[in-house]
Amino acid sequence: QSLFLHAEETQLPQPFLMREMLQSLHHLHRSAQTCCPSFSDLVTELYPRKPYAVEHKVLAVLWHLLGNMTSSGSLPGAGGNIRTATAKLSRALFAQMGPSLLNHAASQPPHIKKSLEEFLDIQT
């Protein structure tokens, strides 16, 4: 398991946290099915202990994925379909955050909020 799951955010330097997140994002780009640990697993494990850290760090990744995903489910310049992993991450965040996830999404561009609602199967 990732050291990220077992360490307190205040004990890890910012560059280390960003490197861990970028490595996980790289895995998402390569293959949504083999990403281990996946962001959704990190959310489930870490959110109860560090909700602010998850909201601050992982939401930025979710907004990036939702905002840049092409209609085919990939990110520009990256191979592989990340639609399944993005949907799983969206649902994991919603399971932990509830409606506050939608409140955060309200401050994003409309296409990001709409994509999130589609992944969560929420009718607006």
Side-chain angles (χ1 to χ4, degrees), residues 91-105:
R91 289 190 296 270
L93 282 165
F94 188 74
Q96 296 298 316
M97 296 175 65
S100 72
L101 176 60
L102 299 173
N103 293 340
H104 285 281

Side-chain angles (χ1 to χ4, degrees), residues 11 13 20 22 25 34 42 47 49 65 76 82-86 89-90 97 100 124:
Q11 294 174 331
E20 282 285 304
L22 290 173
L25 183 58
T34 61
L42 287 173
Y47 191 86
R49 294 182 295 149
L65 295 173
I82 60 160
R83 185 173 304 282
T84 301
T86 303
L89 176 59
S90 298
M97 296 175 65
S100 72
T124 54

Side-chain angles (χ1 to χ4, degrees), residues 9-120:
E9 181 188 56
T10 56
Q11 294 174 331
L12 296 175
Q14 187 70 18
F16 179 81
L17 291 173
M18 289 307 294
R19 188 181 79 227
E20 282 285 304
M21 290 181 63
L22 290 173
Q23 285 175 344
S24 293
L25 183 58
H26 176 72
H27 290 299
L28 278 173
H29 285 221
R30 285 184 28 212
S31 173
Q33 279 65 39
T34 61
C35 177
C36 189
S38 70
F39 269 6
S40 57
D41 293 337
L42 287 173
V43 167
T44 302
E45 182 78 23
L46 194 57
Y47 191 86
R49 294 182 295 149
K50 291 289 187 180
Y52 176 79
V54 170
E55 290 174 12
H56 183 71
K57 308 288 186 200
V58 180
L59 283 181
V61 172
L62 180 63
W63 305 148
H64 174 77
L65 295 173
L66 292 172
N68 294 291
M69 187 184 315
T70 65
S71 59
S72 66
S74 65
L75 291 177
N81 190 310
I82 60 160
R83 185 173 304 282
T84 301
T86 303
K88 186 176 178 183
L89 176 59
S90 298
R91 289 190 296 270
L93 282 165
F94 188 74
Q96 296 298 316
M97 296 175 65
S100 72
L101 176 60
L102 299 173
N103 293 340
H104 285 281
S107 66
Q108 297 300 310
H111 71 284
I112 292 176
K113 183 176 182 279
K114 182 178 186 254
S115 294
L116 176 64
E117 290 168 347
E118 289 172 2
F119 280 125
L120 298 176

